[in-house]
Amino acid sequence: MPATVDLRSDTVTRPSPGMRQAMHDAELGDDVFGDDPTVNRLQEHAASLFGFEAALRVVRAGLAISLVPREVAENPAATLGLRLVLLAEDWAERRFIVCYREAASLTPAAQALVEHLASFAAP
């Protein structure tokens, strides 16, 4: 039976020599500035698993607006030319963001939705 590793807390976990070596060898960066390669790879992997990348490409094509987690949208937003609206609603606990390409290309109903959601946007 394999040994159990308790990862509930950094005060409970006792890293093995292999874990310590992995931490020592890890590439470093700052996730706030978007230059932590490990965090970036994790976000890209999560996006590919859940189809968020595809959702952002549909937005880029001007075919839709999308509601995606903030962490997924922030890095590719500039490259894809997307506008982001950070939601500050109680139901948006995961810090979702509304993504769209150009307001002028949205249908009147989509424009009204974006304007409504933006009125509740976080500063």
Side-chain angles (χ1 to χ4, degrees):
M1 176 170 213
T4 301
V5 178
D6 188 343
L7 300 175
R8 289 178 294 168
S9 159
D10 61 348
T11 61
V12 174
T13 304
R14 301 286 182 226
S16 67
M19 292 168 72
R20 288 183 190 276
Q21 188 64 45
M23 289 184 278
H24 177 268
D25 295 343
E27 299 174 75
L28 300 177
D30 190 317
D31 63 317
V32 173
F33 294 110
D35 64 3
D36 185 319
T38 306
V39 171
N40 292 343
R41 282 193 301 273
L42 177 61
Q43 289 175 349
E44 290 166 10
H45 178 68
S48 69
L49 288 176
F50 298 108
F52 292 127
E53 183 178 333
L56 294 176
R57 294 198 182 281
V58 171
V59 172
R60 180 177 186 227
L63 300 173
I65 60 174
S66 185
L67 196 62
V68 299
R70 177 182 185 177
E71 296 77 16
V72 172
E74 284 184 327
N75 285 338
T79 332
L80 297 175
L82 303 178
R83 292 180 174 84
L84 306 177
V85 176
L86 178 61
L87 301 177
E89 286 289 300
D90 291 339
W91 59 265
E93 289 179 16
R94 285 189 62 204
R95 302 191 78 181
F96 280 88
I97 288 182
V98 175
C99 304
Y100 62 98
R101 176 96 188 233
E102 294 179 15
S105 66
L106 297 174
T107 65
Q111 284 179 5
L113 175 61
V114 168
E115 288 172 12
H116 174 73
L117 292 172
S119 71
F120 297 101

